[in-house]
Each structure stands twice: as C-alpha cells, then as structure tokens.
C-alpha cells in the first residue's frame, strides 16, 4: 500500500461475495492493511499513508440486476446437453441471492465492462481447474471480435454464463458494481473517471433489459484432461471384463437357486456404480458400452458346442437384467456414489 499509494483499493465484500471463507478473509486482510499502512510504528517500511486515505470499494451487484441475469441464464441453459469437464448438464441458478447482491440504491458505481468481454472470457477459460462451460455467445461466432463486442451493451441482463465445479450456471454480467467500504462515493467516481461508468443501476426504476437475441451457439466444452480420458478408458475395460466374467457365471445354480444370476446382476450393478463414482456420466457410459457389448457378443460365442447365453428364460433374463442393472445404477441418488450436488445459487468452493 505504501509503495503503490493507490487512490482506490477494490476487494470482495465482507461476506466473501458468496460466502467463500477465502474471500471473506481477503476482505479482512485489505481492511487491516489499510489501517496498518496509515500507522507509524517500529519495524514498518515506507512512508505511512497520510492525509486522504485510499477509497476502499467492494465488488457488488444490484439485486434486481442479478435476478434478471439469473432468469436470463436459466432460460438459455435449459435443455442444453452435457457440458464442461464433467460432461454434465448445467444446473440453473437458485432463487437465493449471494452476499454480494445489494439493493440498487446501495451500489455506488457501475463500470461498463463489455469492451473487455473477450479478456473476461479468456480468463475464465484459462481457469480450467474450477471453471467449465463458459461462453459469451456473441463472441463464440465467426464474427470479428471487435464487431461482436459492439453487440454487447450494459443494459443486457447477462452477456453469457459459466459454471464452477458444482455445475450451477452463473451469469457473466456486462458491468461490475462497486460499493464504498471506506471513503466516499464522489472520490470513487473521480478516481475512476476514465472508465466507462454508469451513475447507478436502475435509475429509472426499471429492471435491466433482457439480452438481445444471440446466435445459436452452444457453450464451449472444457477439453478433457489426459487423466480423465484414461479413467473413462479404464471404465470401458472394466465393463468388458465384468461383462465376460458375469456372463460365464450367470447360469450357475445352487440347487434350484439361480445364485449365479444374482451374483452377476449385483456385480454388474456395482461395477456401474463404481464407474459413475469415478468419472460420473462419462465413466458410466464407458462401463455400459464395455459390459453390454461383451455380453451381447458372448451371446453368439460357443464353448464346447454350447452357446453361453441360450435363448431360454434364464438367458433372456440375463440379457435384459444386465441392462436394467446398469440403468438402476445410473439413476440412483448421488449420495450412493459419494456426491452431493448443490442445486442452489451458491458457487462451489474449491
């Protein structure tokens, strides 16, 4: 602080934007740093900040704007296919607003960020460990970037969307709102006078307009990692092995009890659950392709002159039951595979 001597310091708000503990701590550190920068004491370095202190502002968004943005994103992502690193459909935002949402009159300044939208999108896509399915539709077209940027306006509800690791779609807003934590709004506006700023959201009492119709562009999928590809291939191989072994033993009986069939169905269901737990939908699909393919192939193979899956009742039960067991594993609740998906509006925490 003493070396740079900034006019404005921007941080998360006290609630951590959406309750993230690291973001809450960042806010507290900035507040403490501003206090210490103005004090003299033993061991301090640099000249203490004297006179007018920097304005401390926090990122915020007007509640009406965020509700309109969430509604816009909900409308656009419904019905889209699997997206992102986990190949899952994006969930729509919830109705609860995060802590960075404040009444419109509480936002001291909004800065139009549409001119830097390509940089925002590039930054989101560079953060592949946490961000997936990010898109600004008008930029994901063959149009020249400058021309596409001109189609974005600050009165749009949302110019795009992204999701964190909980698969909940979040809007990309055309503006950044700021609220003054320390200092006054006039000094904040003076310090940022060179930026394309708006006086205050909703000055006419109207909600932000819905976005203009965008080209029919699907959100880009985060490229799968080598580890994920290897995991899916492993699930495919596991499916083949399980399909072969269970087909061999499915006709074994203990007296009149079809114990082999029971063990085979349980085994194939457990293998499907394991694959789903490892890589979600992609792993389960790989296992299903391997297992069902192996079972169907062995229905035409012979061993000692006998088919392994004859066309009797037990054989038909196995052919259909194996598919049903995988289907049951696919639709069991997430808690069966150790996953608890948050369908609320809060973003996932790293």
């Amino acid at each position: 602080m003493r070396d740079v001597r900034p006019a404005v310091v921007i941080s998360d708000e006290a609630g951590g934007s959406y309750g993230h503990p690291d973001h809450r701590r960042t806010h507290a550190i900035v507040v403490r740093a501003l206090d210490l920068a103005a004090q003299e004491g033993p061991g301090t370095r640099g000249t203490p900040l004297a006179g007018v202190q920097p304005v401390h502002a926090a990122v915020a968004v007007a509640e009406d704007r965020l509700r309109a943005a969430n509604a816009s994103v909900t409308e656009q992502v419904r019905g889209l296919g699997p997206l992102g690193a986990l190949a899952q459909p994006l969930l729509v935002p919830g109705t609860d607003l995060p802590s960075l949402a404040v009444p419109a009159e509480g936002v001291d300044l909004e800065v139009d960020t549409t001119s830097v939208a390509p940089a925002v999108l590039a930054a989101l896509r560079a953060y592949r460990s946490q961000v997936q399915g990010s898109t600004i539709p008008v930029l994901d077209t063959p149009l020249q970037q400058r021309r596409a940027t001109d189609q974005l306006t600050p009165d749009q509800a949302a110019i795009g969307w992204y999701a964190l690791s909980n698969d909940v779609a979040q809007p990309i807003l055309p503006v950044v709102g700021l609220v003054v934590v320390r200092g006054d709004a006039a000094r904040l506006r003076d310090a940022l006078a060179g930026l394309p700023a708006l006086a205050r959201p909703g000055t006419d009492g109207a909600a932000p307009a819905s976005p203009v119709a965008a080209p029919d562009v699907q959100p880009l999928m985060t490229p799968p990692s080598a580890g994920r590809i290897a995991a899916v291939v492993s699930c495919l191989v596991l499916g083949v092995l399980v399909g072969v072994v269970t087909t061999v033993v499915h006709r074994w009986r203990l007296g009149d009890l079809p114990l082999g069939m029971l063990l085979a169905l349980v085994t194939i269901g457990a293998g499907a659950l394991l694959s789903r737990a490892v890589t979600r939908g992609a792993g389960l699909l790989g296992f299903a392709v391997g297992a069902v393919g192996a079972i169907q192939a062995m229905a035409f193979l012979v061993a000692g002159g006998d088919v392994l899956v004859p066309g009797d009742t037990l054989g038909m039960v196995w052919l259909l039951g194996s598919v049903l067991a995988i289907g049951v594993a696919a639709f069991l609740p997430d808690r069966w595979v150790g996953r608890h998906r948050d369908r609320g509006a809060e973003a996932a925490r790293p």
Side-chain angles (χ1 to χ4, degrees):
M1 295 287 187
R2 291 177 174 178
D3 291 342
V4 178
R5 310 188 80 80
V8 177
V9 177
I10 298 175
S11 72
D12 291 291
E13 47 81 43
S17 296
Y18 52 91
H20 197 296
D22 291 346
H23 296 187
R24 292 200 302 267
R25 186 61 177 162
T26 299
H27 174 88
I29 290 172
V30 170
V31 171
R32 181 59 174 158
L34 286 169
D35 288 338
L36 293 176
Q39 298 175 8
E40 293 191 36
T44 59
R45 182 174 64 86
T47 304
L49 299 179
V52 179
Q53 300 295 309
V55 177
H56 179 196
V59 175
V61 60
E63 293 172 340
D64 290 345
R65 180 182 283 279
L66 186 55
R67 288 193 182 96
N70 285 343
S72 173
V73 169
T74 297
E75 183 66 25
Q76 295 184 69
V77 303
R78 284 192 191 279
L80 293 179
L83 304 167
L86 299 176
Q88 294 288 318
L90 296 185
L91 305 175
V92 299
T95 56
D96 295 335
L97 297 181
S99 60
L100 85 166
V102 299
E105 59 272 16
V107 178
D108 295 302
L109 185 69
E110 279 189 337
V111 178
D112 179 1
T113 56
T114 55
S115 62
V116 295
V120 171
L121 186 58
L124 287 170
R125 289 178 177 166
Y127 195 22
R128 293 180 178 175
S129 63
Q130 291 294 324
V131 178
Q132 57 177 321
S134 55
T135 184
I136 297 178
V138 299
L139 298 183
D140 288 331
T141 68
L143 295 174
Q144 292 183 352
Q145 193 174 86
R146 176 62 182 171
R147 181 182 171 190
T149 302
D150 289 343
Q151 298 181 41
L152 303 175
T153 61
D155 63 344
Q156 292 176 249
I159 60 175
W161 61 87
Y162 67 97
L164 298 182
S165 56
N166 64 349
D167 302 334
V168 178
Q170 302 291 335
I172 299 176
L173 300 175
V175 300
V176 170
L178 297 174
V179 296
V180 173
V181 178
R182 176 184 300 182
D184 60 77
R187 286 181 52 216
L188 175 66
R189 286 190 286 269
D190 289 343
L192 303 181
L195 298 178
L198 309 174
R200 181 177 290 182
T203 53
D204 58 357
S210 298
V212 295
D216 185 17
V217 179
Q218 300 293 323
L220 299 184
M221 181 183 295
T222 304
S225 64
R228 178 171 173 77
I229 293 174
V232 173
V233 172
S234 298
C235 291
L236 175 65
V237 174
L238 176 65
V240 172
L241 294 176
V242 170
V244 170
V245 172
T246 53
T247 299
V248 170
V249 305
H250 82 280
R251 301 190 69 82
W252 176 58
R253 290 176 176 270
L254 183 61
D256 292 332
L257 180 65
L259 189 58
M261 176 68 74
L262 295 176
L263 291 175
L265 291 175
V266 170
T267 300
I268 203 165
L273 275 177
L274 174 62
S275 300
R276 179 181 164 192
V278 171
T279 51
R280 288 193 177 180
L284 179 60
L285 178 61
F287 178 87
V289 170
V292 174
I295 293 169
Q296 295 296 326
M298 294 184 70
F300 299 97
L301 299 179
V302 296
D306 296 324
V307 294
L308 294 176
V309 187
D312 58 3
T313 301
L314 202 61
M316 295 304 296
V317 169
W318 173 236
L319 291 176
L320 297 177
S322 58
V323 175
L324 181 61
I326 295 174
V328 170
F331 289 99
L332 285 174
D334 284 342
R335 63 177 179 272
W336 283 63
V337 290
R339 297 185 185 276
H340 301 275
R341 299 183 67 190
D342 179 8
R343 292 179 178 267
E346 290 190 356
R349 297 176 182 176

